[in-house]
Amino acid sequence: EIKVLGKPPDGVRLTLEACCVMFQVKPVKKPDPNNPGKKIDDYWEASQKSLLNDPKKLLDDLFEFDKDNIADSVIQKIGPYMERDD
């Protein structure tokens, strides 16, 4: 089960991060290990607590997602994910 992975593969992390953006799940703010005193957005922890909490609901939500009525703010946030090559 994906939820129990401590450090998931990059592709899994990226996919769930994009799902969090699309479903407007706010990230958990965590200390940046590379910049003491700064915070980074952790979508992995957020996805574990919300999206992966009920895998069947996530699947249903993905199938029922209203792709024709995505908020402009979500479109702006998801843009960089769409432009990635990986």
XYZ file of all heavy atoms in Angstrom:
687
model
N 0.850 -1.183 0.000
C 0.000 0.000 0.000
C 0.891 1.239 0.000
O 1.849 1.335 0.750
C -0.905 -0.022 1.224
C -1.826 1.167 1.248
C -2.862 1.033 2.340
O -3.660 0.087 2.277
O -2.834 1.886 3.228
N 0.574 2.190 -0.822
C 1.373 3.404 -0.996
C 1.437 4.239 0.274
O 2.457 4.827 0.585
C 0.797 4.257 -2.150
C 0.941 3.507 -3.465
C 1.486 5.593 -2.237
C 0.253 4.173 -4.620
N 0.364 4.272 1.005
C 0.256 5.158 2.171
C 1.358 4.935 3.194
O 1.795 5.870 3.849
C -1.116 4.968 2.823
C -1.378 5.901 3.971
C -2.760 5.684 4.530
C -2.999 6.572 5.716
N -4.313 6.402 6.280
N 1.841 3.710 3.355
C 2.818 3.403 4.389
C 4.268 3.657 3.972
O 5.167 3.519 4.794
C 2.669 1.951 4.896
C 1.311 1.747 5.534
C 2.901 0.959 3.786
N 4.492 4.029 2.741
C 5.855 4.306 2.294
C 6.403 5.532 3.007
O 5.777 6.582 3.042
C 5.896 4.554 0.786
C 5.583 3.378 -0.126
C 5.547 3.835 -1.576
C 6.607 2.281 0.048
N 7.578 5.403 3.583
C 8.210 6.546 4.233
C 8.696 7.559 3.210
O 8.495 8.751 3.348
N 9.363 7.040 2.187
C 9.853 7.900 1.108
C 9.450 7.241 -0.213
O 10.137 6.348 -0.707
C 11.369 8.055 1.190
C 11.907 9.035 0.178
C 13.351 9.348 0.430
C 13.768 10.506 -0.408
N 14.347 10.217 -1.655
N 8.321 7.667 -0.775
C 7.838 7.031 -2.010
C 8.720 7.389 -3.207
O 9.448 8.385 -3.175
C 6.446 7.633 -2.174
C 6.546 8.963 -1.532
C 7.476 8.783 -0.360
N 8.646 6.595 -4.268
C 9.363 6.932 -5.494
C 8.932 8.317 -5.995
O 7.800 8.758 -5.754
C 8.936 5.845 -6.481
C 8.455 4.716 -5.633
C 7.894 5.338 -4.389
N 9.837 8.979 -6.701
C 9.563 10.345 -7.170
C 8.287 10.443 -7.994
O 7.536 11.401 -7.868
C 10.750 10.875 -7.982
C 11.976 11.136 -7.119
O 11.821 11.292 -5.887
O 13.084 11.193 -7.681
N 8.025 9.450 -8.835
C 6.824 9.491 -9.667
C 5.542 9.427 -8.849
O 4.562 10.104 -9.153
N 5.566 8.635 -7.792
C 4.405 8.532 -6.904
C 4.199 9.847 -6.181
O 3.094 10.375 -6.090
C 4.587 7.371 -5.895
C 3.511 7.394 -4.821
C 4.610 6.037 -6.622
N 5.295 10.409 -5.666
C 5.232 11.683 -4.944
C 4.699 12.786 -5.856
O 3.823 13.557 -5.468
C 6.619 12.051 -4.417
C 6.642 13.290 -3.572
C 8.037 13.577 -3.050
N 8.463 12.686 -2.023
C 8.235 12.883 -0.733
N 7.582 13.948 -0.347
N 8.665 12.023 0.158
N 5.202 12.851 -7.079
C 4.782 13.878 -8.033
C 3.298 13.724 -8.387
O 2.556 14.711 -8.419
C 5.635 13.801 -9.295
C 5.308 14.787 -10.399
C 5.557 16.220 -9.932
C 6.132 14.483 -11.636
N 2.863 12.506 -8.617
C 1.460 12.258 -8.968
C 0.522 12.669 -7.837
O -0.490 13.340 -8.070
C 1.248 10.766 -9.301
O 2.092 10.420 -10.406
C -0.194 10.478 -9.650
N 0.872 12.301 -6.619
C 0.015 12.654 -5.486
C 0.067 14.147 -5.187
O -0.923 14.734 -4.752
C 0.374 11.824 -4.264
C -0.084 10.378 -4.407
C 0.523 9.499 -3.338
C -1.596 10.281 -4.373
N 1.202 14.775 -5.441
C 1.295 16.227 -5.285
C 0.338 16.911 -6.262
O -0.407 17.825 -5.888
C 2.729 16.686 -5.526
C 2.977 18.130 -5.224
C 4.451 18.495 -5.285
O 5.299 17.673 -4.899
O 4.747 19.626 -5.724
N 0.332 16.458 -7.512
C -0.582 17.027 -8.511
C -2.036 16.761 -8.133
O -2.893 17.641 -8.303
C -0.269 16.447 -9.896
N -2.321 15.581 -7.595
C -3.695 15.284 -7.142
C -4.100 16.222 -6.012
O -5.234 16.709 -5.978
C -3.811 13.837 -6.689
S -3.822 12.647 -8.036
N -3.190 16.484 -5.093
C -3.485 17.423 -4.007
C -3.816 18.801 -4.567
O -4.757 19.455 -4.108
C -2.306 17.524 -3.044
S -2.154 16.144 -1.898
N -3.064 19.234 -5.556
C -3.333 20.535 -6.175
C -4.714 20.525 -6.821
O -5.516 21.442 -6.620
C -2.238 20.893 -7.206
C -2.624 22.125 -8.004
C -0.892 21.115 -6.506
N -5.009 19.485 -7.574
C -6.295 19.419 -8.280
C -7.485 19.353 -7.318
O -8.522 19.935 -7.580
C -6.323 18.221 -9.223
C -5.335 18.305 -10.367
S -5.552 19.747 -11.425
C -7.103 19.379 -12.187
N -7.316 18.624 -6.205
C -8.403 18.498 -5.231
C -8.320 19.549 -4.126
O -9.068 19.480 -3.153
C -8.413 17.087 -4.619
C -8.855 16.026 -5.587
C -7.988 15.028 -5.998
C -10.140 16.026 -6.093
C -8.391 14.040 -6.880
C -10.552 15.047 -6.987
C -9.685 14.052 -7.380
N -7.410 20.493 -4.301
C -7.230 21.622 -3.386
C -6.970 21.176 -1.948
O -7.529 21.712 -0.993
C -8.418 22.574 -3.479
C -8.578 23.143 -4.881
C -9.729 24.102 -5.011
O -9.974 24.906 -4.131
N -10.452 24.022 -6.121
N -6.112 20.175 -1.810
C -5.656 19.720 -0.499
C -4.424 20.539 -0.145
O -3.443 20.538 -0.894
C -5.312 18.208 -0.516
C -4.704 17.774 0.801
C -6.545 17.389 -0.861
N -4.458 21.233 0.964
C -3.351 22.087 1.361
C -2.172 21.247 1.847
O -2.351 20.258 2.552
C -3.787 23.047 2.463
C -4.826 24.051 1.990
C -5.094 25.076 3.071
C -6.195 26.015 2.680
N -5.910 26.915 1.645
N -0.945 21.665 1.491
C 0.241 20.922 1.934
C 0.514 21.165 3.416
O 0.047 22.144 3.998
C 1.359 21.514 1.074
C 0.908 22.908 0.803
C -0.597 22.829 0.676
N 1.292 20.270 3.995
C 1.780 20.444 5.359
C 3.075 21.246 5.261
O 3.926 20.946 4.422
C 2.039 19.067 6.023
C 2.704 19.221 7.372
C 0.750 18.276 6.124
N 3.211 22.275 6.070
C 4.433 23.087 6.073
C 5.453 22.400 6.985
O 5.179 22.141 8.147
C 4.153 24.494 6.598
C 3.179 25.279 5.744
C 3.823 25.707 4.474
C 2.890 26.649 3.708
N 3.448 27.067 2.454
N 6.619 22.092 6.419
C 7.671 21.411 7.174
C 8.964 22.206 7.065
O 9.176 22.914 6.083
C 7.907 20.017 6.608
C 6.765 19.068 6.841
C 7.206 17.694 6.511
C 6.740 16.787 7.612
N 7.092 15.421 7.413
N 9.846 22.058 8.052
C 11.138 22.743 7.973
C 11.927 22.263 6.746
O 11.961 21.063 6.460
C 11.848 22.333 9.260
C 10.763 21.866 10.175
C 9.677 21.327 9.300
N 12.546 23.194 6.055
C 13.360 22.872 4.879
C 14.714 22.354 5.365
O 15.450 23.082 6.028
C 13.545 24.120 4.015
C 14.256 23.845 2.715
O 14.910 22.783 2.588
O 14.183 24.701 1.811
N 15.061 21.093 5.037
C 16.344 20.553 5.504
C 17.548 21.268 4.897
O 18.639 21.240 5.453
C 16.300 19.082 5.078
C 15.278 19.010 4.005
C 14.310 20.137 4.239
N 17.357 21.932 3.770
C 18.460 22.633 3.098
C 18.565 24.096 3.494
O 19.586 24.730 3.217
C 18.297 22.528 1.574
C 18.301 21.090 1.103
O 19.065 20.272 1.601
N 17.432 20.771 0.171
N 17.523 24.663 4.082
C 17.495 26.066 4.492
C 16.900 26.185 5.891
O 15.692 26.350 6.028
C 16.661 26.909 3.515
C 17.368 27.201 2.230
O 18.568 27.384 2.202
N 16.620 27.237 1.141
N 17.732 26.090 6.908
C 17.195 26.211 8.273
C 16.423 27.523 8.447
O 16.827 28.571 7.953
C 18.449 26.195 9.151
C 19.490 25.525 8.312
C 19.161 25.880 6.887
N 15.287 27.445 9.110
C 14.458 28.627 9.328
C 13.394 28.825 8.263
O 12.496 29.632 8.424
N 13.492 28.090 7.161
C 12.490 28.189 6.096
C 11.596 26.961 6.136
O 11.943 25.932 6.673
C 13.180 28.292 4.736
C 14.029 29.530 4.598
C 13.866 30.116 3.250
C 14.702 31.394 3.212
N 14.400 32.206 2.129
N 10.428 27.100 5.518
C 9.460 25.998 5.451
C 9.250 25.590 3.995
O 9.363 26.411 3.087
C 8.116 26.441 6.042
C 8.181 26.877 7.482
C 7.960 25.711 8.377
C 7.883 26.203 9.823
N 7.760 25.134 10.747
N 8.944 24.323 3.801
C 8.610 23.815 2.463
C 7.225 23.162 2.519
O 6.760 22.771 3.587
C 9.659 22.799 1.945
C 9.803 21.619 2.919
C 10.986 23.468 1.688
C 10.651 20.486 2.387
N 6.595 23.072 1.370
C 5.296 22.415 1.258
C 5.505 20.910 1.125
O 6.231 20.461 0.241
C 4.527 22.922 0.035
C 4.090 24.360 0.178
O 4.012 24.853 1.320
O 3.809 24.992 -0.856
N 4.879 20.143 2.010
C 4.971 18.689 1.954
C 3.601 18.128 1.576
O 2.701 18.037 2.404
C 5.428 18.135 3.300
C 5.601 16.618 3.276
O 5.409 16.008 2.201
O 5.929 16.046 4.327
N 3.469 17.788 0.305
C 2.205 17.221 -0.171
C 2.102 15.734 0.143
O 1.013 15.181 0.146
C 2.046 17.449 -1.670
C 1.684 18.868 -2.032
C 2.646 19.774 -2.436
C 0.371 19.292 -1.963
C 2.306 21.074 -2.777
C 0.020 20.586 -2.293
C 0.994 21.472 -2.703
O 0.646 22.751 -3.029
N 3.238 15.071 0.381
C 3.200 13.649 0.679
C 2.426 13.398 1.969
O 1.528 12.570 2.020
C 4.609 13.069 0.758
C 4.614 11.639 1.200
C 5.191 11.132 2.326
C 3.993 10.528 0.546
N 4.965 9.785 2.414
C 4.228 9.390 1.325
C 3.246 10.383 -0.620
C 3.758 8.123 0.977
C 2.775 9.130 -0.963
C 3.032 8.025 -0.179
N 2.771 14.128 3.023
C 2.066 13.959 4.292
C 0.593 14.343 4.152
O -0.288 13.666 4.674
C 2.723 14.795 5.388
C 2.157 14.522 6.755
C 2.903 15.224 7.864
O 4.115 15.476 7.734
O 2.247 15.515 8.881
N 0.333 15.412 3.409
C -1.051 15.836 3.185
C -1.839 14.762 2.429
O -2.992 14.481 2.756
C -1.086 17.154 2.425
N -1.208 14.154 1.429
C -1.908 13.114 0.655
C -2.158 11.872 1.500
O -3.198 11.222 1.356
C -1.134 12.762 -0.614
O 0.068 12.082 -0.317
N -1.245 11.544 2.405
C -1.448 10.392 3.286
C -2.649 10.617 4.204
O -3.414 9.698 4.465
C -0.213 10.145 4.143
C 0.937 9.538 3.377
C 2.136 9.357 4.266
O 2.618 10.291 4.883
N 2.614 8.133 4.345
N -2.784 11.837 4.691
C -3.859 12.143 5.638
C -5.214 12.298 4.964
O -6.247 12.112 5.605
C -3.536 13.426 6.408
C -2.400 13.267 7.374
C -2.117 14.560 8.089
C -0.982 14.399 9.085
N -0.659 15.652 9.752
N -5.226 12.676 3.694
C -6.516 12.918 3.045
C -6.771 11.968 1.874
O -7.642 11.109 1.962
C -6.627 14.378 2.599
O -5.599 14.668 1.673
N -6.023 12.103 0.806
C -6.302 11.325 -0.406
C -6.157 9.823 -0.200
O -6.986 9.039 -0.658
C -5.389 11.771 -1.553
C -5.487 13.225 -1.990
C -4.495 13.500 -3.110
C -6.893 13.568 -2.425
N -5.087 9.419 0.472
C -4.814 7.989 0.625
C -5.518 7.376 1.827
O -5.424 6.171 2.046
C -3.299 7.759 0.727
C -2.508 8.154 -0.518
C -1.019 7.996 -0.262
C -2.937 7.360 -1.734
N -6.206 8.199 2.582
C -6.928 7.705 3.748
C -8.037 6.730 3.337
O -8.328 5.779 4.054
C -7.511 8.876 4.542
C -7.910 8.479 5.932
O -7.260 7.658 6.562
N -8.991 9.057 6.411
N -8.631 6.972 2.167
C -9.680 6.099 1.640
C -9.427 5.904 0.137
O -9.908 6.680 -0.688
C -11.056 6.730 1.880
C -12.207 5.837 1.454
O -11.963 4.782 0.818
O -13.360 6.200 1.745
N -8.633 4.889 -0.219
C -8.266 4.686 -1.631
C -9.459 4.552 -2.578
O -9.407 5.032 -3.703
C -7.438 3.403 -1.611
C -6.933 3.292 -0.219
C -7.994 3.904 0.648
N -10.532 3.897 -2.126
C -11.707 3.762 -2.993
C -12.329 5.123 -3.280
O -12.712 5.410 -4.410
C -12.745 2.839 -2.359
C -13.961 2.688 -3.261
C -14.908 1.634 -2.807
C -16.125 1.458 -3.658
N -16.422 2.370 -4.701
N -12.389 5.988 -2.266
C -12.930 7.329 -2.464
C -12.051 8.121 -3.428
O -12.546 8.839 -4.287
C -13.060 8.072 -1.141
C -13.679 9.457 -1.309
C -13.794 10.162 0.031
C -14.383 11.538 -0.064
N -14.012 12.369 -1.171
N -10.727 7.971 -3.307
C -9.820 8.657 -4.229
C -10.096 8.223 -5.660
O -10.199 9.060 -6.560
C -8.365 8.396 -3.861
C -7.328 8.918 -4.855
C -7.430 10.423 -5.051
C -5.932 8.510 -4.424
N -10.227 6.941 -5.862
C -10.516 6.433 -7.214
C -11.842 6.976 -7.730
O -11.929 7.440 -8.875
C -10.517 4.908 -7.195
C -10.539 4.215 -8.544
C -9.362 4.628 -9.396
C -10.558 2.710 -8.356
N -12.859 6.966 -6.888
C -14.163 7.515 -7.279
C -14.048 9.002 -7.601
O -14.603 9.475 -8.597
C -15.200 7.317 -6.171
C -15.606 5.861 -5.993
O -15.371 5.053 -6.922
O -16.154 5.528 -4.915
N -13.319 9.747 -6.762
C -13.140 11.185 -6.984
C -12.421 11.458 -8.302
O -12.752 12.407 -9.022
C -12.365 11.827 -5.832
C -13.177 11.920 -4.555
O -14.414 11.731 -4.605
O -12.565 12.184 -3.495
N -11.447 10.621 -8.635
C -10.723 10.796 -9.902
C -11.648 10.559 -11.095
O -11.621 11.320 -12.068
C -9.522 9.854 -9.962
C -8.351 10.210 -9.059
C -7.361 9.059 -8.994
C -7.669 11.483 -9.541
N -12.462 9.511 -11.021
C -13.387 9.222 -12.115
C -14.472 10.288 -12.250
O -14.926 10.587 -13.350
C -14.032 7.847 -11.947
C -13.156 6.718 -12.395
C -12.731 5.760 -11.491
C -12.748 6.608 -13.714
C -11.916 4.713 -11.894
C -11.934 5.574 -14.133
C -11.515 4.618 -13.211
N -14.886 10.862 -11.137
C -15.972 11.843 -11.142
C -15.478 13.291 -11.214
O -16.292 14.217 -11.175
C -16.826 11.660 -9.885
C -17.541 10.335 -9.851
C -18.190 10.048 -8.510
O -18.188 10.940 -7.634
O -18.696 8.933 -8.336
N -14.169 13.489 -11.336
C -13.621 14.843 -11.336
C -14.215 15.667 -12.485
O -14.236 15.225 -13.630
C -12.097 14.800 -11.451
C -11.457 16.135 -11.258
C -11.318 16.661 -9.989
C -11.008 16.864 -12.338
C -10.723 17.896 -9.796
C -10.418 18.095 -12.156
C -10.281 18.617 -10.884
N -14.687 16.858 -12.170
C -15.314 17.736 -13.162
C -14.234 18.522 -13.902
O -13.910 19.642 -13.554
C -16.301 18.674 -12.468
C -17.105 19.502 -13.455
O -16.908 19.347 -14.683
O -17.931 20.310 -12.994
N -13.675 17.912 -14.935
C -12.573 18.518 -15.679
C -12.978 19.755 -16.465
O -12.132 20.523 -16.897
C -11.927 17.487 -16.598
C -12.817 17.029 -17.733
C -12.133 15.971 -18.549
C -12.858 15.470 -19.734
N -14.263 15.567 -19.857
N -14.266 19.958 -16.628
C -14.739 21.108 -17.392
C -14.958 22.350 -16.530
O -15.243 23.418 -17.064
C -16.050 20.755 -18.105
C -15.846 19.648 -19.129
O -14.809 19.658 -19.818
O -16.724 18.762 -19.222
N -14.833 22.216 -15.220
C -15.064 23.344 -14.319
C -13.968 23.467 -13.272
O -14.233 23.508 -12.070
C -16.426 23.199 -13.622
C -17.562 23.345 -14.603
O -17.666 24.356 -15.288
N -18.407 22.335 -14.684
N -12.732 23.531 -13.730
C -11.598 23.670 -12.818
C -11.386 25.156 -12.541
O -11.340 25.968 -13.465
C -10.324 23.053 -13.431
C -10.563 21.572 -13.747
C -9.136 23.235 -12.506
C -9.450 20.920 -14.530
N -11.242 25.499 -11.277
C -11.040 26.894 -10.884
C -9.752 27.448 -11.499
O -8.764 26.718 -11.655
C -10.975 27.001 -9.365
N -9.769 28.729 -11.857
C -8.593 29.371 -12.457
C -7.368 29.257 -11.558
O -6.250 29.061 -12.040
C -8.880 30.840 -12.766
C -9.834 31.003 -13.939
O -9.939 30.072 -14.766
O -10.472 32.070 -14.036
N -7.570 29.368 -10.249
C -6.436 29.287 -9.323
C -5.792 27.899 -9.376
O -4.566 27.764 -9.288
C -6.889 29.606 -7.895
O -7.868 28.680 -7.463
N -6.601 26.869 -9.559
C -6.081 25.509 -9.655
C -5.346 25.328 -10.979
O -4.270 24.721 -11.025
C -7.215 24.469 -9.515
C -6.712 23.060 -9.783
C -7.849 24.556 -8.135
N -5.875 25.881 -12.041
C -5.222 25.795 -13.354
C -3.847 26.444 -13.300
O -2.870 25.915 -13.839
C -6.100 26.429 -14.452
C -7.334 25.550 -14.679
C -5.319 26.613 -15.754
C -8.374 26.147 -15.592
N -3.737 27.579 -12.626
C -2.443 28.253 -12.490
C -1.461 27.415 -11.679
O -0.285 27.330 -12.018
C -2.616 29.622 -11.846
C -3.284 30.625 -12.754
C -3.531 31.956 -12.076
O -3.438 32.078 -10.863
N -3.835 32.973 -12.873
N -1.942 26.785 -10.622
C -1.053 25.977 -9.780
C -0.622 24.687 -10.463
O 0.477 24.196 -10.239
C -1.748 25.624 -8.459
C -1.849 26.785 -7.518
C -2.533 26.348 -6.234
C -2.778 27.528 -5.308
N -3.543 27.137 -4.121
N -1.485 24.106 -11.295
C -1.165 22.822 -11.922
C -0.308 23.008 -13.184
O 0.322 22.065 -13.649
C -2.453 22.013 -12.214
C -2.150 20.508 -12.341
C -3.151 22.492 -13.478
C -1.743 19.841 -11.088
N -0.271 24.220 -13.708
C 0.496 24.502 -14.933
C 1.913 23.974 -14.936
O 2.321 23.278 -15.881
N 2.719 24.266 -13.913
C 4.094 23.768 -13.897
C 4.200 22.243 -13.936
O 5.148 21.695 -14.491
C 4.660 24.311 -12.593
C 3.825 25.516 -12.280
C 2.458 25.188 -12.817
N 3.230 21.552 -13.393
C 3.236 20.089 -13.435
C 2.999 19.599 -14.861
O 3.567 18.592 -15.279
C 2.153 19.506 -12.518
C 2.385 19.809 -11.058
C 1.866 20.949 -10.479
C 3.123 18.962 -10.259
C 2.068 21.238 -9.140
C 3.354 19.225 -8.917
C 2.811 20.386 -8.365
O 3.024 20.661 -7.055
N 2.145 20.298 -15.578
C 1.823 19.907 -16.946
C 2.992 20.137 -17.906
O 3.123 19.449 -18.917
C 0.593 20.683 -17.446
C -0.637 20.506 -16.573
S -1.204 18.822 -16.478
C -1.809 18.598 -18.132
N 3.845 21.081 -17.563
C 4.969 21.434 -18.428
C 6.204 20.554 -18.201
O 7.148 20.615 -18.972
C 5.340 22.910 -18.224
C 4.230 23.840 -18.661
C 4.460 25.282 -18.257
O 5.549 25.581 -17.699
O 3.564 26.115 -18.499
N 6.169 19.750 -17.169
C 7.323 18.891 -16.855
C 7.511 17.805 -17.911
O 6.551 17.341 -18.517
C 7.124 18.243 -15.493
C 7.197 19.229 -14.345
C 6.957 18.524 -13.056
N 7.969 17.524 -12.788
C 8.722 17.479 -11.701
N 8.557 18.378 -10.769
N 9.605 16.524 -11.536
N 8.754 17.404 -18.107
C 9.059 16.347 -19.071
C 8.995 14.947 -18.453
O 8.934 13.963 -19.160
C 10.447 16.554 -19.660
C 10.499 17.770 -20.571
O 9.460 18.125 -21.154
O 11.590 18.358 -20.696
N 9.029 14.874 -17.137
C 9.062 13.559 -16.494
C 7.722 13.114 -16.102
O 6.762 13.066 -15.943
C 9.959 13.551 -15.270
C 9.595 14.602 -14.229
O 8.860 15.536 -14.539
O 10.098 14.494 -13.101
